[in-house]
Amino acid sequence: QLIPSNLSIVTTLLVTLAKFGVAAAFTMIYIYSAELYPTAVRNMGVGTSSTASRFGSIISPYIFYLGVYHEVLPFILMGGLMVFTAILVLCLPETVNIPLPETIDQMQKMKRFKCRRNHENQDHYYENGTTRENIVVFSKKEDV
């Protein structure tokens, strides 16, 4: 065992922390996927992301049957998948203080981590992080 049986409080705290982390990550998937897809395909993109997450939820209980072969194999597999996913998230574009993309072209021109950059077709960004493309943002001022 990773944690001795006489430390049940530590086990309970770790399980609670893990459930909190999974719930927070699941919530962020919906928010981030809505920001990532352009308006033209946002509903389809969020639906596809939801379908993929539900598919993972269906398969995940069966991973623990691998414990028959080795006691810690399910934990190694789940932990490894989480670390791999955390590394892949670094390749997604940043969406902080950037208006939501309206078209697919605007989405493709968003700043990304260097692993997604195509050296033949690099966009030139200015110091403020924008391209030459004009993006119009309308805001409505309300009196409180």
Side-chain angles (χ1 to χ4, degrees):
Q1 267 187 335
L2 295 173
I3 300 171
S5 59
N6 61 349
L7 297 175
S8 61
I9 294 174
V10 174
T11 304
T12 304
L13 287 174
L14 289 175
V15 168
T16 305
L17 181 66
K19 283 189 168 204
F20 174 74
V22 168
F26 197 73
T27 303
M28 286 187 283
I29 289 171
Y30 283 106
I31 294 170
Y32 186 74
S33 62
E35 291 179 354
L36 185 63
Y37 296 112
T39 303
V41 293
R42 188 165 293 138
N43 289 335
M44 185 174 56
V46 171
T48 304
S49 299
S50 176
T51 302
S53 67
R54 298 297 177 182
F55 182 70
S57 297
I58 291 169
I59 290 177
S60 65
Y62 296 106
I63 290 176
F64 288 102
Y65 287 125
L66 294 174
V68 173
Y69 300 106
H70 195 276
E71 187 175 288
V72 295
L73 186 60
F75 301 108
I76 292 172
L77 181 63
M78 293 294 265
L81 286 173
M82 285 187 216
V83 169
F84 178 67
T85 304
I87 291 170
L88 286 180
V89 166
L90 295 174
C91 295
L92 293 173
E94 183 61 56
T95 60
V96 174
N97 297 327
I98 296 175
L100 296 177
E102 296 290 329
T103 64
I104 294 175
D105 290 335
Q106 287 177 350
M107 180 189 73
Q108 291 175 344
K109 292 180 181 181
M110 291 175 74
K111 269 190 173 179
R112 296 184 186 104
F113 193 69
K114 289 186 180 184
C115 67
R116 281 254 183 113
R117 297 298 299 245
N118 186 355
H119 294 291
E120 297 172 4
N121 188 16
Q122 284 188 352
D123 293 326
H124 297 285
Y125 290 93
Y126 295 102
E127 289 179 4
N128 63 357
T130 62
T131 61
R132 292 180 191 213
E133 178 181 345
N134 293 331
I135 298 175
V136 179
V137 178
F138 295 100
S139 63
K140 188 177 186 181
K141 196 178 218 183
E142 295 182 20
D143 294 330
V144 178

